[in-house]
Amino acid sequence: MSEVTRILTAIEAGEPHAAEELLPLVFDELRRLAAWRLAHERPGQTVQATELVHEAWLRLLGKDDNQWNGRRHFFGAAAEAIRRILIERARRKHSPRGGGELQRVDLEDFEIAAPLNDEDLLALHEALDELTGLDSLAAELIKLRFFTGLTHEEAADLLGLSRSAADRTWLFARAWLFQRIRPEALDKS
């Protein structure tokens, strides 16, 4: 009788610490099984093999009917637990609540609405914090236009502003930011 089979028999008999002995013996094999399964899934999985093994392990030991007839039966049950976890994740991912209708975008391929060097970005951040204290609506309009790339109309609509109010707010915010971030540019003109 192998060590795994002996421990499985002990778990069936209800020995309290038998499960603690089993995991170190089967962890590498379960992890290899999970890694193989994940390698055959579509790219972009957010679950890792170790996480999958831990979740499967909890499911296996959480069942009341965890009576395994040896090593083969145990690993079959583990494979089934892994399969069910992956199916549940896929269903959740494709549901409307899980963002199923959304398209995945790789952030490395995505350009922000207005790329800046680090110094300018930090200066803008500080100026926006200051503008928020002065006129939070103007700061919000700048953020929506600058960082998300929304059009003037989209940002105005999102903030519930009329076109003329959005125009006034935009002109004020741009002038204020320009003066705050580049005061030396005003001295030269």
Side-chain angles (χ1 to χ4, degrees):
M1 182 185 288
S2 75
E3 185 67 12
V4 172
T5 306
R6 184 193 64 75
I7 294 172
L8 290 171
T9 305
I11 291 172
E12 285 179 34
E15 289 185 28
H17 299 290
E20 294 171 11
E21 296 176 39
L22 182 61
L23 183 59
L25 291 175
V26 297
F27 183 81
D28 289 335
E29 205 165 337
L30 285 174
R31 193 177 179 300
R32 193 171 51 252
L33 176 71
W36 180 85
R37 183 65 250 160
L38 287 173
H40 290 84
E41 292 290 316
R42 291 182 66 179
Q45 287 291 329
T46 57
V47 66
Q48 301 212 351
T50 304
E51 179 186 356
L52 196 53
V53 169
H54 288 176
E55 193 169 337
W57 180 256
L58 291 173
R59 287 188 183 197
L60 287 171
L61 293 183
K63 291 178 132 184
D64 291 332
D65 62 341
N66 55 2
Q67 297 180 6
W68 300 294
N69 299 325
R71 180 184 181 92
R72 180 177 174 187
H73 189 223
F74 172 77
F75 281 102
E80 180 65 17
I82 288 171
R83 183 184 72 83
R84 288 178 187 233
I85 292 165
L86 290 173
I87 288 171
E88 288 170 9
R89 285 177 176 267
R91 284 183 179 148
R92 208 172 24 247
K93 192 172 166 183
H94 291 304
S95 73
R97 189 172 181 174
E101 72 279 353
L102 301 177
Q103 184 178 8
R104 184 180 177 92
V105 176
D106 191 0
L107 289 179
E108 291 177 4
D109 297 336
F110 185 74
E111 292 185 33
I112 60 171
L116 292 175
N117 65 39
D118 291 342
E119 288 178 14
D120 289 342
L121 185 59
L122 291 172
L124 178 61
H125 168 70
E126 291 172 8
L128 277 172
D129 282 349
E130 196 175 322
L131 180 60
T132 299
L134 182 66
D135 186 341
S136 62
L137 188 63
E140 194 64 29
L141 182 62
I142 292 290
K143 290 174 192 176
L144 289 172
R145 298 265 334 261
F146 191 81
F147 290 105
T148 65
L150 290 179
T151 65
H152 190 61
E153 292 77 21
E154 291 169 334
D157 186 48
L158 194 61
L159 294 172
L161 295 173
S162 68
R163 173 66 188 214
S164 59
D167 289 343
R168 283 190 308 274
T169 304
W170 178 249
L171 289 173
F172 161 73
R174 283 186 52 199
W176 189 91
L177 284 172
F178 184 78
Q179 184 180 18
R180 172 66 174 79
I181 293 173
R182 304 262 188 239
E184 68 280 356
L186 295 175
D187 294 339
K188 294 177 185 175
S189 52

